[in-house]
Amino acid sequence: MSWQSVRWVLASCVVCAAMASVVSRAEDGDLINDYPTIDRADYVFGCMQVNGNTRLALERCSCSIDVIAGVLPYEVYQHASTIKSLSQRGGESVAQFANPASNKIVNELKMAQIEGELRCF
């Protein structure tokens, strides 16, 4: 089996796990949060790469994004993720994100990620 095939199977497992976690969190027909599957899968995929690409990492990373989704509304998660991504570029165009409001949003995401690690890892 080629490495690309393994990655495809792994990515498929991540998407399935993320979808299952959303379905399992439904209460009275309403979803607890509104995180799109692609964002859940993207988080789990990145988390797994950092944590060894194992079945255990899949379980822990899926748990972690569930915790984050339970703590932060999707709009805050999306905004904080965008700020973090842009701030990694550096340069003058990033200076506009160095303000207390942006820092507060990014810190909220960091705290949610820490909560996810504490509960799941």
Side-chain angles (χ1 to χ4, degrees), residues 14-15 18-19 22 34-45 65 74 77:
V14 168
V15 171
M19 290 173 56
V22 170
D34 60 351
Y35 280 49
T37 303
I38 189 68
D39 288 324
R40 286 177 174 271
D42 187 48
Y43 178 90
V44 172
F45 186 70
I65 189 62
Y74 177 67
Y77 174 83

Side-chain angles (χ1 to χ4, degrees), residues 24-39:
S24 70
R25 295 187 56 180
E27 289 183 353
D28 300 326
D30 295 327
L31 292 177
I32 291 174
N33 60 67
D34 60 351
Y35 280 49
T37 303
I38 189 68
D39 288 324

Side-chain angles (χ1 to χ4, degrees), residues 35 43 64 67-69 71-72 107-117:
Y35 280 49
Y43 178 90
S64 182
V67 170
I68 292 168
V71 173
L72 285 182
N107 285 336
E108 287 179 31
L109 175 58
K110 287 179 184 178
M111 295 303 294
Q113 289 172 327
I114 290 169
E115 183 71 24
E117 286 185 28

Side-chain angles (χ1 to χ4, degrees), residues 10-117:
L10 183 60
S12 298
C13 290
V14 168
V15 171
C16 291
M19 290 173 56
S21 69
V22 170
V23 172
S24 70
R25 295 187 56 180
E27 289 183 353
D28 300 326
D30 295 327
L31 292 177
I32 291 174
N33 60 67
D34 60 351
Y35 280 49
T37 303
I38 189 68
D39 288 324
R40 286 177 174 271
D42 187 48
Y43 178 90
V44 172
F45 186 70
C47 176
M48 286 182 66
Q49 287 181 333
V50 171
N51 291 290
N53 286 326
T54 64
R55 172 69 184 176
L56 183 59
L58 171 63
E59 292 172 10
R60 289 177 173 173
C61 293
S62 296
C63 172
S64 182
I65 189 62
D66 287 344
V67 170
I68 292 168
V71 173
L72 285 182
Y74 177 67
E75 293 77 25
V76 175
Y77 174 83
Q78 187 178 33
H79 194 150
S81 296
T82 301
I83 292 170
K84 282 180 65 174
S85 176
L86 292 174
S87 67
Q88 291 175 350
R89 291 183 182 177
E92 292 179 23
S93 63
V94 178
Q96 64 182 330
F97 295 108
N99 61 59
S102 294
N103 292 340
K104 181 178 183 256
I105 291 170
V106 170
N107 285 336
E108 287 179 31
L109 175 58
K110 287 179 184 178
M111 295 303 294
Q113 289 172 327
I114 290 169
E115 183 71 24
E117 286 185 28

